[in-house]
Amino acid sequence: MEGRITSLRMEHITKRFPGVLASDDISISVGEGEVLALVGENGAGKTTLMNILMGLYQPDEGRILINDEEVRFRGPEDAFKAGLGMVHQQYMLVQNMTVTENIALGYKNAWKPYRLDIDTVRKHVGEISEKYSLLVNPDAYIWQLSVGEQQRVELVKTLCLGAKFLILDEPTSALTPQETDELIALLLKMTDELSIIFISHKLNEVKALSSKVTILRHGKVVFSGNTDEHSSEDIAAKMTGHSIILPKNTGTAESNKGKTALSINGITVMSDRKTVALDHLSLDIREGEIVGLAGVSGNGQRELAEAINGLRHVESGSIRFFDEEIANLTSRQIIDKGMGYIPEERNIEGIVPPFSIKENLVLKDVTKEPFSSHAIVNGKAIDENASKLIKDFDIRCPGINTAAGTLSGGNIQKVILAREIERGPKFLIAVYPTRGLDMGAVEFIHQQLLETRAKGVGILLISEELDEIMDLSDRIAVIYKGSIQKVLDHDEATRERLGILMAGIKE
Amino acid sequence: MTRQFRILFRLSIILIAAVAAVLFASVILWMIGADVSATFYTICIEPLSNKLHMTEVLIRAIPLCIIALGISVAYRSGIINIGGEGQMAIGILSFTGVALAFPDVPRSILLPLALLASVIGGGLWGFIPGILKAKLNVSELLSTVMLNYIAAQFYSLCLRTIYLDPAEKVYGTGTPQSMRLTENVWLGRISGRLHYGLIIAIVLAVLIFFLMWKTTMGFKMRAAGSQDRASRYAGINVPFYITVAIMISGAFAGLAGGVEIAGVHRRAIEGVTNNYGFSGVVVALFGGLHPFGIVPASFFFGLLIYGSTLAPSKVGVPANIVQVMQGIIIIVIVTAQMVLSNTYFQDRIWRKYSALKAGKGGKK
């Protein structure tokens, strides 16, 4: 693994999947110390292209050159050997192993005959995480970590394995603004030693980090050029083919707020690790307002959402929902009281992946009229419901019988949103509703949330995207280490102020 | 990928699997010096050759089918039941117990009552691993297998004590068994030994299809089995449905036992369970965990099991070797199914195939 990668080129890459041309004659090139931003909407072919580069797929046509020599990667092993390292959007971590063990999996130097030299790995993890200030607990199990923390583990893993060329698939989608800024600063510093390809839809990051940008749309390169010669708006328009303006919450603060919908009073909840996840947390949300909950992931957001929905035991304190105590009721009872919930992990918590779209759309209500009567499901009503929602929510799919798990992230989220909103909830909890989605889908989901608010439904919006929170919220609560730091009115909140509160500094 | 290629691909895999199974089995038969083709004929073709043989195949298919239906319910609900053997034994004990206790009750009451007892017995035996998993997260693989041993020993104990045939005490033939049960619990016979359990099995297959795909309960059980977390988040009481599913599974195995006694043996003897509980798992998987696949799958395995009983006398191949062959067939079938469901592999072959085609086209 000696030597640097001074240039990497992919030339005329074409890749066909059944019925789709995923890559259509794509050429990109990255020089030493350069950062290439690969931007495009979901389904534009960015990830496919990178999977080809990493040897996960073989291109049908075209070639890859490193330092002007043609290479053929038959699998990711070959790509690792050549010094390429990729951090995938979906983390490739073994849940029931520790951080160190996960890294040891690919760490061939530690594989001694008949034993694994885990201490070397742990030491190296420590060094790398210190060098790049990527804080991870080497002995924590992956399942104990939040998504943001897992992302850091992925970065440390890739660096530990000696990557000289980094491919990052939407690396900031789970980070706080500060972390994002830090990561960008760090990546910029790292360009002294390595080159980076960076997939993103966040144009401010593209502007801040990349030297070159390549825009893909429908598997084709539609634009390639130097980043600093083009404005964010310019790039956005090229990416989507039309300009997108995300909707904002313009409702005046008092206009449609009703009575208190959800009142959380001093609840204490344990995490999976049996540590205190929520520490006497209190928060009130009224009808018709969106309260944004800002915070670094892993500060109790998941536990809060689960506790409210009856999925996690509340040790003490009360949760009142329209003046009814709901703490420690079953999730069924809470759903029946009108709670809507868009969970954090849409693929395993929001939908049943092998179930069809139509089945997922009635997941919560299959026992109710008209979807069933006397315990017999009514296929026709379920079909009609699905056909209607697919149209109303613009769910793009081959048909209502398609397995929901085969849809793209944006469409899966639309299925969940359609189900939750169609139920006519009295309250909605949305956890990271737009994580990893493209601009078009984000726009749609934001619109839906605002429309739901306009109907007088209170919404608790848990997010790490400050832009999202600031665009949508009437009030913003900041969570840190399981309690609410402060609740700000929309007008009082600035990115800087929120950032400071999220970092745990009291004002 | 063309449709034509997909069909071709599936057919070739099935063909290769069949050839591989025959090949492996032939090597083993050849090694013990048996007549290879005659053995195959005896096991796979001969049972289909006349009516008597056919009825014997069906007799074996009936318990397999009923057990496999139950196992498919559990499997689809996310709990794997390999305790069919024990549940069947408990079902037989319950059935026999009722029959011995009320020999004089008329048939129209006693037969349903005894069958119901077998259902309840098997269901309770399934309830134990279910509740252990639901409440304490005990692996059902462990608990069902262990309960098999308990049930087997309990079965032996009952046959030697409270159920023991009084005539046995006098003459002492050495086979522990219950007395011949009253005619009031006999299932009628269609032809030869083939009994009306066949109808029961087919009705149950339709019933299971209806339960799993047409009722809200089936919907919830399938959801719980496909992604328990999303189901929990959607308000489905996953532990409850897991427990219900394995109870249904146990009840079916118990009923299979009851039907077997009522239709075939008409007394409880040792060895009646005949590994049906384990074969049922294979039948369920081979049938794609779907009732309409399980019915033909149970017929096929009934064929193999019956064929193996013919082999020793007809071609002098020991029955044990036939079990080895069954094992080979099962492994090959399961492997072939894995290959068939591996879309990546299919994609790879498709690329080679299309490259080959393109190459040929180019030369022309």
Side-chain angles (χ1 to χ4, degrees):
Chain A
M1 299 233 282
E2 326 72 40
R4 293 183 166 198
I5 294 180
T6 53
S7 85
L8 180 142
R9 278 186 290 149
M10 296 179 83
E11 292 183 342
H12 306 295
I13 299 289
T14 298
K15 173 76 189 170
R16 292 179 198 91
F17 286 122
V20 194
L21 194 54
S23 305
D24 184 4
D25 194 25
I26 296 179
S27 298
I28 58 169
S29 85
V30 189
E32 188 172 9
E34 279 186 341
V35 179
L36 171 72
L38 202 56
V39 299
E41 298 205 279
N42 281 341
K46 298 163 298 188
T47 303
T48 306
L49 188 66
M50 290 303 104
N51 283 340
I52 291 172
L53 181 55
M54 290 303 293
L56 287 162
Y57 296 141
Q58 300 300 319
D60 294 332
E61 285 160 40
R63 54 187 195 150
I64 301 169
L65 298 111
I66 291 181
N67 297 343
D68 292 325
E69 265 176 57
E70 186 168 348
V71 287
R72 278 189 72 86
F73 298 146
R74 270 158 309 170
E77 287 276 289
D78 292 352
F80 290 146
K81 275 190 203 134
L84 304 186
M86 179 159 177
V87 177
H88 291 267
Q89 198 176 349
Q90 267 145 7
Y91 312 132
M92 308 285 182
L93 296 169
V94 182
Q95 292 289 321
N96 53 358
M97 284 186 163
T98 67
V99 171
T100 309
E101 285 168 345
N102 262 284
I103 292 167
L105 281 178
Y107 200 95
K108 297 280 154 51
N109 289 343
W111 292 15
K112 300 283 154 54
Y114 309 114
R115 72 187 182 91
L116 179 67
D117 188 359
I118 199 94
D119 291 333
T120 314
V121 183
R122 186 183 284 109
K123 214 173 115 216
H124 196 184
V125 171
E127 283 165 16
I128 294 280
S129 75
E130 197 166 320
K131 180 172 172 194
Y132 295 111
S133 36
L134 288 161
L135 289 182
V136 290
N137 172 3
D139 297 314
Y141 285 92
I142 300 300
W143 58 265
Q144 299 172 325
L145 302 180
S146 71
V147 178
E149 290 165 311
Q150 291 185 23
Q151 170 106 47
R152 281 187 296 232
V153 176
E154 280 281 5
L155 273 172
V156 171
K157 182 173 90 177
T158 312
L159 292 167
C160 275
L161 301 185
K164 293 172 293 179
F165 190 106
L166 275 183
I167 301 163
L168 308 174
D169 194 351
E170 302 194 24
T172 60
S173 55
L175 304 183
T176 62
Q178 276 83 3
E179 282 176 312
T180 304
D181 292 346
E182 279 167 26
L183 180 73
I184 288 174
L186 166 79
L187 291 174
L188 278 175
K189 212 174 75 191
M190 279 158 57
T191 54
D192 295 346
E193 293 168 31
L194 33 78
S195 317
I196 296 169
I197 293 180
F198 163 75
I199 300 180
S200 181
H201 348 264
K202 290 184 206 157
L203 298 175
N204 52 348
E205 290 164 16
V206 171
K207 287 293 282 180
L209 181 59
S210 67
S211 44
K212 292 202 298 187
V213 58
T214 293
I215 301 173
L216 298 184
R217 194 174 347 131
H218 304 311
K220 277 198 192 108
V221 175
V222 292
F223 171 79
S224 223
N226 292 326
T227 313
D228 43 13
E229 291 164 15
H230 301 274
S231 69
S232 304
E233 291 74 25
D234 211 9
I235 297 172
K238 287 192 168 83
M239 183 169 107
T240 55
H242 62 97
S243 48
I244 279 183
I245 300 154
L246 287 179
K248 281 193 165 60
N249 182 349
T250 51
T252 49
E254 294 303 322
S255 60
N256 62 347
K257 278 194 207 168
K259 52 182 191 266
T260 303
L262 185 73
S263 172
I264 302 167
N265 224 317
I267 59 166
T268 298
V269 167
M270 296 297 166
S271 73
D272 290 338
R273 278 171 279 183
K274 303 288 167 217
T275 56
V276 176
L278 297 181
D279 185 8
H280 297 92
L281 179 141
S282 300
L283 185 65
D284 283 356
I285 301 156
R286 286 189 279 168
E287 287 182 306
E289 72 166 349
I290 296 181
V291 172
L293 187 70
V296 182
S297 77
N299 272 294
Q301 292 96 323
R302 154 175 285 276
E303 288 82 359
L304 176 62
E306 289 181 348
I308 297 171
N309 284 286
L311 296 159
R312 192 173 280 274
H313 186 72
V314 178
E315 308 287 330
S316 67
S318 78
I319 304 173
R320 299 190 76 77
F321 187 54
F322 292 98
D323 290 326
E324 264 183 287
E325 182 64 40
I326 59 165
N328 294 330
L329 292 186
T330 65
S331 53
R332 183 75 251 170
Q333 288 168 315
I334 292 168
I335 289 167
D336 288 341
K337 288 189 191 303
M339 184 73 77
Y341 183 24
I342 298 170
E344 175 175 359
E345 297 196 43
R346 62 181 81 100
N347 286 309
I348 57 171
E349 294 169 351
I351 57 157
V352 176
F355 267 35
S356 61
I357 294 171
K358 65 178 185 187
E359 287 176 310
N360 270 295
L361 284 169
V362 295
L363 200 58
K364 286 187 173 176
D365 291 318
V366 72
T367 50
K368 303 207 169 79
E369 300 267 2
F371 304 126
S372 65
S373 54
H374 309 295
I376 309 294
V377 293
N378 180 349
K380 204 167 148 232
I382 292 174
D383 286 358
E384 279 166 8
N385 176 61
S387 304
K388 173 176 171 289
L389 291 180
I390 279 176
K391 222 183 303 146
D392 291 356
F393 285 82
D394 188 28
I395 299 165
R396 295 189 197 152
C397 56
I400 56 174
N401 293 312
T402 307
T406 61
L407 298 178
S408 71
N411 282 309
I412 288 176
Q413 196 69 313
K414 284 180 186 174
V415 170
I416 299 169
L417 200 70
R419 179 180 75 213
E420 298 302 322
I421 291 179
E422 189 65 12
R423 302 185 74 242
K426 285 153 80 182
F427 192 82
L428 186 62
I429 298 170
V431 189
Y432 311 117
T434 60
R435 178 186 276 165
L437 303 186
D438 66 50
M439 298 286 278
V442 172
E443 180 189 23
F444 182 84
I445 284 162
H446 283 185
Q447 258 164 11
Q448 289 293 330
L449 290 176
L450 288 173
E451 275 172 29
T452 307
R453 167 187 176 274
K455 284 185 226 153
V457 176
I459 298 177
L460 173 62
L461 170 68
I462 298 179
S463 175
E464 292 161 322
E465 302 276 348
L466 279 192
D467 288 332
E468 177 169 273
I469 286 196
M470 299 201 24
D471 280 357
L472 298 180
S473 307
D474 296 289
R475 291 187 297 143
I476 299 169
V478 180
I479 189 170
Y480 177 74
K481 288 202 171 158
S483 28
I484 299 295
Q485 282 282 89
K486 199 170 175 79
V487 183
L488 300 172
D489 270 334
H490 176 264
D491 299 336
E492 300 174 287
T494 61
R495 292 182 70 87
E496 291 69 31
R497 206 168 160 197
L498 290 174
I500 288 167
L501 286 166
M502 282 161 73
I505 300 160
K506 292 258 183 211
E507 287 186 319
Chain B
M1 213 177 289
T2 58
R3 200 186 147 76
Q4 190 193 350
F5 169 77
R6 241 179 253 143
I7 294 168
L8 199 70
F9 176 78
R10 295 191 79 86
L11 285 179
S12 347
I13 296 292
I14 291 167
L15 201 70
I16 291 170
V19 170
V22 170
L23 210 70
F24 282 128
S26 306
V27 168
I28 290 173
L29 287 172
W30 173 76
M31 274 163 54
I32 62 163
D35 182 341
V36 176
S37 58
T39 312
F40 274 110
Y41 180 81
T42 308
I43 294 174
C44 299
I45 312 290
E46 178 141 14
L48 302 175
S49 63
N50 70 41
K51 198 170 158 201
L52 182 70
H53 284 320
M54 277 295 280
T55 59
E56 289 296 317
V57 169
L58 286 172
I59 284 170
R60 282 156 183 83
I62 291 164
L64 279 179
C65 179
I66 298 176
I67 290 178
L69 286 170
I71 283 167
S72 74
V73 171
Y75 208 102
R76 289 234 176 226
S77 310
I79 183 162
I80 298 166
N81 178 20
I82 39 182
E85 199 71 10
Q87 292 145 7
M88 187 174 173
I90 299 295
I92 294 172
L93 287 181
S94 313
F95 181 90
T96 313
V98 169
L100 290 175
F102 311 105
D104 303 323
V105 175
R107 184 152 182 263
S108 56
I109 297 173
L110 189 61
L111 178 60
L113 194 71
L115 288 177
L116 184 68
S118 66
V119 166
I120 292 171
L124 283 176
W125 214 245
F127 171 75
I128 300 168
I131 196 76
L132 285 176
K133 184 174 172 94
K135 294 286 173 200
L136 302 169
N137 209 16
V138 174
S139 162
E140 74 274 19
L141 297 178
L142 273 175
S143 54
T144 49
V145 168
M146 293 304 144
L147 282 165
N148 281 345
Y149 293 122
I150 298 174
Q153 295 306 322
F154 185 59
Y155 186 75
S156 283
L157 179 74
C158 285
L159 287 194
R160 283 171 171 78
T161 55
I162 50 172
Y163 285 3
L164 187 66
D165 188 352
E168 179 73 23
K169 281 181 198 153
V170 181
Y171 304 111
T173 56
T175 37
Q177 57 182 21
S178 77
M179 62 183 273
R180 195 163 174 80
L181 299 179
T182 157
E183 272 188 45
N184 290 347
V185 292
W186 291 9
L187 264 178
R189 285 184 173 164
I190 304 168
S191 164
R193 292 203 300 158
L194 179 61
H195 52 86
Y196 283 103
L198 184 69
I199 310 293
I200 296 182
I202 288 167
V203 168
L204 287 177
V206 176
L207 217 65
I208 286 298
F209 172 75
F210 189 76
L211 170 75
M212 292 310 276
W213 278 274
K214 299 291 172 196
T215 68
T216 55
M217 187 164 137
F219 183 97
K220 289 180 185 180
M221 290 201 291
R222 284 186 297 120
S226 301
Q227 177 49 265
D228 62 332
R229 206 145 140 201
S231 306
R232 227 157 39 83
Y233 276 58
I236 295 170
N237 187 344
V238 174
F240 172 78
Y241 285 103
I242 280 182
T243 313
V244 169
I246 197 164
M247 277 177 75
I248 292 176
S249 197
F252 271 57
L255 178 64
V259 167
E260 184 74 359
I261 298 303
V264 184
H265 305 283
R266 291 164 179 183
R267 60 162 32 128
I269 348 165
E270 293 219 308
V272 174
T273 53
N274 195 18
N275 271 338
Y276 286 135
F278 298 115
S279 307
V281 178
V282 184
V283 171
L285 290 174
F286 187 56
L289 299 171
H290 194 288
F292 300 161
I294 287 171
V295 170
S298 48
F299 179 79
F300 177 65
F301 276 82
L303 176 70
L304 290 183
I305 291 173
Y306 178 61
S308 75
T309 62
L310 293 181
S313 58
K314 298 254 170 179
V315 283
V317 172
N320 294 351
I321 285 297
V322 180
Q323 278 178 15
V324 171
M325 287 171 58
Q326 276 180 30
I328 290 170
I329 291 168
I330 290 167
I331 290 172
V332 168
I333 286 166
V334 173
T335 312
Q337 280 199 330
M338 288 306 209
V339 173
L340 284 175
S341 61
N342 184 343
T343 49
Y344 289 97
F345 180 73
Q346 190 176 353
D347 192 51
R348 254 199 342 260
I349 300 296
W350 163 246
R351 263 182 275 140
K352 287 208 178 121
Y353 172 80
S354 45
L356 204 74
K357 234 177 153 185
K360 265 188 196 160
K363 269 173 212 161
K364 278 178 194 169

